[in-house]
């Protein structure tokens, strides 16, 4: 059959007698041979067997597990073509809301392999598949793929997936370990083993030996996130944003952007587009990734003087707020503060915004910033920079900002935070009124 188009998840779509057949790993225009895997009332799902007539954009996947593992879905696509497709998807979503950017800048790019410094790896003990499985789900269904390595994970752990399988297989508690959380900073990396029952002395000894052989730190998580305790090495991780001269500490379970190089460029882009001045508000501020970079453009580290730039970060997770405050102290930034506030709560921001805001940065979750916009009354901040990980919610919110709140979309750029997947980050610059702000 012939693949007619590609859907938002990067799967090819064929028309088979009025029914849609979705086929991962295919490209529009290709003629392919497909094995049916699943049928529903509305559509079918198939597995690629053979490419009979390849598209010019097709490349050989680097990872030997690509066709089985669901962690990546676009390794078969040329990087330029991949970004063009993602950009077209974002622009189409905006156009559906009647929003057209005045300028589309080149996408922010970074490493395509070994880039992922955060991941939650599933763990299952399946004797029928050779014992322990560690990694991501298969492309079809909810079972874990059989992996020995991962090309996109950080080099500290990507080549060691087979070793992790052997380690879990050796544990007495192998059937009671549902996941391993991985996090890497600039100088160290941690594996957090979630375990449903207490570990015996023999298992902790095996984990210590693995840590010594691999150079990885190891921590244990017997319950919720607050229960994490170190077994080998500490829990403190950090990364630098060299262009701003700051360093941010984080906990292995904290949210941080997975691609360090792309994140650094994204922060630089956002701060440049924001043009920090006056009172700046950073909503969904996390550990201070954007907030501290903005603040660094005001008071120099260690200075004790009044500064016209004042930055406030607001975050709903109180633990992340404490981490952000510690990061501000760590970098000796005195023109910044952080507050814990439920940004989804009705009227939560109205009083804060009523005090006046000159610049606003938004970095919401996939659901977007709808509640924030409810509290944003005209005239509003002069400039808004909106960082998004979900094109549909971005389009919805930009439509409201442009058509209902008096902003224009002056610039847009994509950031390829998750190469080889359908996920894409966008950074949008909005300026109040019909003309360029003098700020």
């Amino acid at each position: 059959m012939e693949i007619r188009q590609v859907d938002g998840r990067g799967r090819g779509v064929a028309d088979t007698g009025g029914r849609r057949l979705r086929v991962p790993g295919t490209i529009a225009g290709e003629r392919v041979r497909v094995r049916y895997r699943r049928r529903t009332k509305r559509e079918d799902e198939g597995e690629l067997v053979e490419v009979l007539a390849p598209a010019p954009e097709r490349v050989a996947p680097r990872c030997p597990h690509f066709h089985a593992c669901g962690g990546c879905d676009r390794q078969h696509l040329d990087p330029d073509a991949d970004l063009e497709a993602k950009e077209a998807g974002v622009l189409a979503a905006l156009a559906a809301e009647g929003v057209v950017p005045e300028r589309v800048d080149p996408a922010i790019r970074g490493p395509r392999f070994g880039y992922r410094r955060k991941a939650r790896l599933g763990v299952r003990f399946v004797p029928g598949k050779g014992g322990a499985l560690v990694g991501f789900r298969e492309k079809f269904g909810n079972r874990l793929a059989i992996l020995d390595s991962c090309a996109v994970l950080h080099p500290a752990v990507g080549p060691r997936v087979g070793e992790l399988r052997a380690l879990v297989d050796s544990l007495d508690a192998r059937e009671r370990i549902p996941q391993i959380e991985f996090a890497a900073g600039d100088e160290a990396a941690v594996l957090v083993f979630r375990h449903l029952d207490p570990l015996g002395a023999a298992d902790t000894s095996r984990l210590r030996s693995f840590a010594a052989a691999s150079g990885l730190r190891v921590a244990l998580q017997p319950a919720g996130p607050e229960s994490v305790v170190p077994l080998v090495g500490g829990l403190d991780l950090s990364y630098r944003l060299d262009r701003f001269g700051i360093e941010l500490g984080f906990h292995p379970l904290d949210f941080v952007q997975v691609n360090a190089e792309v994140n650094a460029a994204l922060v630089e882009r956002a701060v440049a587009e924001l043009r920090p001045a006056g009172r700046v508000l950073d909503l969904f501020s996390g550990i201070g990734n954007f907030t501290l970079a903005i603040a660094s453009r005001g008071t120099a580290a260690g200075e004790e003087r009044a500064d016209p730039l004042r930055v406030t970060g607001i975050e709903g997770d109180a633990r992340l707020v404490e981490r952000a405050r510690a990061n501000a102290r760590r970098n000796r930034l005195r023109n910044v503060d952080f507050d814990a506030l439920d940004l989804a709560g009705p009227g939560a921001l109205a009083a804060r915004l009523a005090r006046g805001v000159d610049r606003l940065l938004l970095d919401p979750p996939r659901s977007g910033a709808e509640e924030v916009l409810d509290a944003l009354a005209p005239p509003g901040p002069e400039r808004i920079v909106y960082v998004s990980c979900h094109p549909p919610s971005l389009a919805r919110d930009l439509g409201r900002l442009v058509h209902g709140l008096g902003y224009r979309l002056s610039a847009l750029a994509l950031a390829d935070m998750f190469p080889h997947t359908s996920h894409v980050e966008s950074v949008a610059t909005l300026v109040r009124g019909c003309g360029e702000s003098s700020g």
Side-chain angles (χ1 to χ4, degrees):
M1 57 191 62
E2 184 176 346
I3 301 299
R4 301 292 185 182
Q5 63 187 46
V6 176
D7 67 14
R9 289 175 53 188
R11 301 173 298 178
V13 182
D15 182 10
T16 59
R19 290 177 63 85
R20 287 175 299 182
L21 174 65
R22 301 185 188 273
V23 188
T26 58
I27 303 171
E30 291 188 325
R31 187 162 182 80
V32 298
R33 183 172 285 119
V34 177
R35 177 184 296 113
Y36 276 77
R37 292 295 303 257
R38 183 166 55 194
R39 305 200 70 166
T40 67
K41 289 183 178 180
R42 296 183 179 180
E43 61 184 26
D44 305 325
E45 191 170 33
E47 177 184 6
L48 176 65
V49 174
E50 183 182 3
V51 179
L52 303 173
E57 309 95 291
R58 176 169 289 277
V59 298
R62 175 169 162 178
C63 178
H65 306 297
F66 170 68
H67 291 292
C69 177
C72 294
D73 47 30
R74 298 164 85 106
Q75 277 194 32
H76 64 295
L77 195 57
D78 171 80
D80 292 336
D82 185 20
L83 271 178
E84 287 173 10
K86 289 179 179 178
E87 184 177 283
V90 173
L91 292 176
L94 295 180
E97 297 289 342
V99 177
V100 178
E102 296 173 5
R103 187 181 83 241
V104 178
D105 292 329
I108 297 169
R109 309 172 90 158
R112 296 181 60 78
F113 294 96
Y115 70 84
R116 188 160 184 170
R117 65 177 172 183
K118 280 273 292 180
R120 178 171 294 170
L121 305 175
V123 178
R124 296 288 184 276
F125 179 67
V126 187
K129 286 193 173 183
L133 302 179
V134 176
F136 303 106
R137 292 177 180 175
E138 295 178 338
K139 275 189 166 58
F140 302 96
N142 292 319
R143 297 176 179 176
L144 290 182
I146 302 175
L147 305 181
D148 294 312
S149 62
C150 177
V152 299
L153 283 178
H154 188 282
V157 75
R160 291 195 168 101
V161 175
E163 296 174 35
L164 277 175
R165 289 178 57 196
L167 171 65
V168 174
D169 221 22
S170 73
L171 300 178
D172 297 331
R174 57 183 176 268
E175 296 185 59
R176 304 295 289 165
I177 297 177
Q179 70 186 41
I180 301 171
E181 195 95 17
F182 169 72
D186 289 348
E187 305 297 334
V190 182
L191 293 170
V192 181
F193 287 77
R194 175 78 174 95
H195 54 100
L196 303 179
D197 296 325
L199 298 184
D203 280 354
T204 58
S205 176
R206 293 178 184 114
L207 291 172
R208 290 180 189 277
S209 296
F210 178 82
S214 66
L216 292 163
R217 300 178 184 178
V218 171
L220 304 179
Q221 183 186 351
E226 70 288 343
S227 71
V228 176
V229 293
L231 180 67
V232 178
L235 296 176
D236 294 332
L237 298 170
S238 66
Y239 65 89
R240 289 190 57 80
L241 294 175
D242 289 327
R243 293 297 295 269
F244 300 94
I246 60 175
E247 184 176 52
L248 291 95
F250 66 98
H251 182 278
L253 300 193
D254 287 347
F255 171 81
V256 296
Q257 294 284 16
V258 301
N259 193 318
E261 189 171 317
V262 171
N263 177 65
L266 178 64
V267 172
E268 186 176 351
R269 162 87 187 193
V271 174
E273 290 292 310
L274 192 65
R275 299 182 190 177
R279 296 159 296 184
V280 180
L281 199 58
D282 175 14
L283 303 183
F284 310 96
S285 54
I287 65 170
N289 186 52
F290 291 103
T291 329
L292 300 182
I294 296 167
S296 74
R297 290 299 183 242
T299 304
E303 285 189 7
E304 302 221 15
R305 62 178 175 84
D307 195 288
L309 175 64
R310 189 73 198 176
V311 188
T312 300
I314 296 182
E315 165 61 45
D317 188 332
R319 292 175 303 166
L320 296 183
V321 170
E322 287 305 311
R323 200 96 62 217
R325 288 171 177 164
N327 282 328
R329 294 191 295 269
R330 179 181 197 146
N331 292 280
R332 297 185 294 166
L333 291 168
R334 295 179 172 84
N335 60 338
V336 59
D337 56 2
F338 292 90
D339 290 333
L341 185 65
D342 178 10
L343 292 169
L349 273 175
R352 180 60 59 93
L353 291 171
R355 302 175 198 169
V357 177
D358 300 299
R359 303 285 191 271
L360 176 64
L361 189 139
L362 299 171
D363 183 18
R366 287 175 60 85
S367 56
E370 204 166 17
E371 293 83 1
V372 172
L373 302 190
D374 288 341
L376 194 62
E382 292 181 20
R383 298 179 75 87
I384 298 175
V385 170
Y386 191 132
V387 179
S388 169
C389 62
H390 190 52
S393 60
L394 172 70
R396 179 201 67 207
D397 292 348
L398 294 192
R400 187 169 175 189
L401 283 163
V402 170
H403 300 304
L405 291 169
Y407 287 87
R408 59 186 179 86
L409 179 55
S410 69
L412 178 76
L414 269 59
D416 200 16
M417 189 71 71
F418 290 88
H420 311 299
T421 77
S422 56
H423 300 292
V424 64
E425 205 94 359
S426 306
V427 53
T429 307
L430 298 114
V431 179
R432 189 179 66 200
C434 297
E436 177 64 52
S437 167
S438 60

